[in-house]
Amino acid sequence: MTPENLLSRLQYPTGKVNAILDTDTYNEIDDQYALAYFLKSSEKINPLAVYAAPFSKPEFPTPALGMERSYEEILNIMNLCNRPDVTAYRGSINYLPDEKTPVDSPAARDLITRAMSSREPLYVLAIGAITNVASAILLEPEIINKIVVVWLGGHAHYWPPWGEYNMAQDVAAGRVIFGCGVPLVQLPCMGVVSHLSTTEPELKHHLKGTSPLGDYLYDITCREAIKDGGNLAWSRVIWDISVVAWLLGDMVLDTLTPAPIPSYDQGYIHHPDRHLMKVAYHVNRDRIFLDLYTKLK
């Protein structure tokens, strides 16, 4: 891709766009909010598909188990949003073994098919380990000319090098995304998206009793907070809604920067001669939550 085309692809899109969402939906409770936000932002987004991303933690010791549970949760949220027209696909059952070897999956193959047949840029919103997207690029490198990747992954570029979950799950996939030249918008976690927090009173006021979806999101958020010790006072960052908010307009501010190389020690290697990407530096917390709560009602 020429530098001119890359810069053009990195601008906020005008009009309605085609998009897919790649999500580790059962990992935390914020993916459910992002998926519902994605499905209900029809003024800007034509949601084509949702991909289940792999994740692993003590309750789900393998990425295959995490991916499968995420796939089931995607179907649950689609049902609550009454969107049977959007197709869900299972994703990778493992993380990348290295930076040259893809993990084939229905999600990766669907992304290739949709991207290669699209006349307009296809927006890939990713809110988990980016294994599915990196695998699709390794399987068919030509798709970097057809897609724009908007990823919640990694911390702010000035943040100390300690593990951000989405990046840490599959650093090789992160290095593929930052290194291949695909138009990339990064939503960093700590230092930027960490401002998107809400509280139990706010959730109760805006969601509880408004719909089965609202009740479900309120209940799972409160259960998680209590499990983590938040009996008296707590707030919860709803990280993943940031990628949808970026696509909707001027609620997220970003800047151009040479793409760093994610390192295996969870830091970044910077070089001024690298290709350009966008990185967000501010989220308008109140406007984003106002838009989210309005649509979820």
Side-chain angles (χ1 to χ4, degrees):
M1 184 176 295
T2 66
E4 293 77 17
N5 285 342
L6 179 63
L7 291 175
S8 175
R9 289 288 176 89
L10 289 173
Q11 301 303 311
Y12 286 117
T14 59
K16 196 168 183 176
V17 300
N18 292 328
I20 63 95
L21 182 69
D22 186 77
T23 163
D24 56 347
T25 326
Y26 205 73
N27 177 34
E28 293 186 272
I29 54 88
D30 52 332
D31 293 80
Q32 287 90 332
Y33 284 86
L35 176 52
Y37 197 20
F38 173 73
L39 295 174
K40 288 180 172 289
S41 295
S42 57
E43 81 285 2
K44 181 70 176 183
I45 298 172
N46 179 28
L48 299 181
V50 182
Y51 303 153
F55 75 91
S56 53
K57 56 185 182 181
E59 307 96 297
F60 301 95
T62 69
L65 289 172
M67 184 279 295
E68 185 63 30
R69 192 64 184 88
S70 290
Y71 176 77
E72 294 169 1
E73 184 67 353
I74 289 169
L75 299 180
N76 177 43
I77 297 297
M78 285 182 169
N79 180 59
L80 289 170
C81 292
N82 193 28
R83 290 302 303 263
D85 55 308
V86 181
T87 307
Y89 293 88
R90 289 178 171 87
S92 306
I93 61 172
N94 287 303
Y95 306 122
L96 294 191
D98 55 60
E99 295 168 35
K100 296 182 179 180
T101 307
V103 180
D104 209 340
S105 69
R109 291 294 175 177
D110 182 75
L111 176 55
I112 292 169
T113 299
R114 292 183 189 276
M116 295 305 294
S117 63
S118 178
R119 294 184 178 181
E120 301 297 328
L122 175 62
Y123 286 82
V124 181
L125 310 183
I127 52 178
I130 202 154
T131 313
N132 294 334
V133 184
S135 293
I137 290 172
L138 291 172
L139 287 166
E140 178 48 83
E142 179 63 23
I143 69 170
I144 71 169
N145 297 305
K146 298 282 192 172
I147 65 176
V148 178
V149 177
V150 186
W151 184 34
L152 176 84
H155 292 314
H157 293 185
Y158 59 82
W159 205 261
W162 61 277
E164 184 279 316
Y165 187 82
N166 290 347
M167 182 79 78
Q169 290 278 284
D170 194 343
V171 179
R175 288 166 65 93
V176 169
I177 295 300
F178 276 79
C180 68
V182 69
L184 173 64
V185 181
Q186 182 191 16
L187 281 297
C189 292
M190 296 304 296
V192 183
V193 178
S194 49
H195 293 289
L196 286 178
S197 63
T198 189
T199 62
E200 191 274 338
E202 187 174 64
L203 291 170
K204 186 175 183 179
H205 177 77
H206 288 287
L207 293 184
K208 187 174 174 61
T210 61
S211 68
L213 172 66
D215 286 340
Y216 180 74
L217 295 174
Y218 173 80
D219 289 342
I220 62 174
T221 309
C222 292
R223 285 201 304 269
E224 183 189 78
I226 293 171
K227 181 182 69 174
D228 293 339
N231 288 298
L232 296 177
W234 56 266
S235 63
R236 178 60 162 86
V237 181
I238 312 297
W239 311 88
D240 293 341
I241 59 175
S242 59
V243 297
V244 180
W246 182 88
L247 197 56
L248 296 180
D250 60 353
M251 296 186 291
V252 178
L253 301 182
D254 56 37
T255 187
L256 288 167
T257 186
I261 303 171
S263 62
Y264 282 96
D265 64 0
Q266 302 302 307
Y268 295 102
I269 301 167
H270 296 274
H271 196 284
D273 294 333
R274 296 263 293 165
H275 63 274
L276 293 176
M277 58 171 280
K278 271 191 169 183
V279 58
Y281 63 85
H282 173 72
V283 291
N284 190 319
R285 184 265 174 211
D286 290 353
R287 285 187 60 201
I288 291 171
F289 273 103
L290 174 62
D291 189 49
L292 173 73
Y293 290 141
T294 300
K295 289 172 178 174
L296 295 188
K297 288 180 180 179

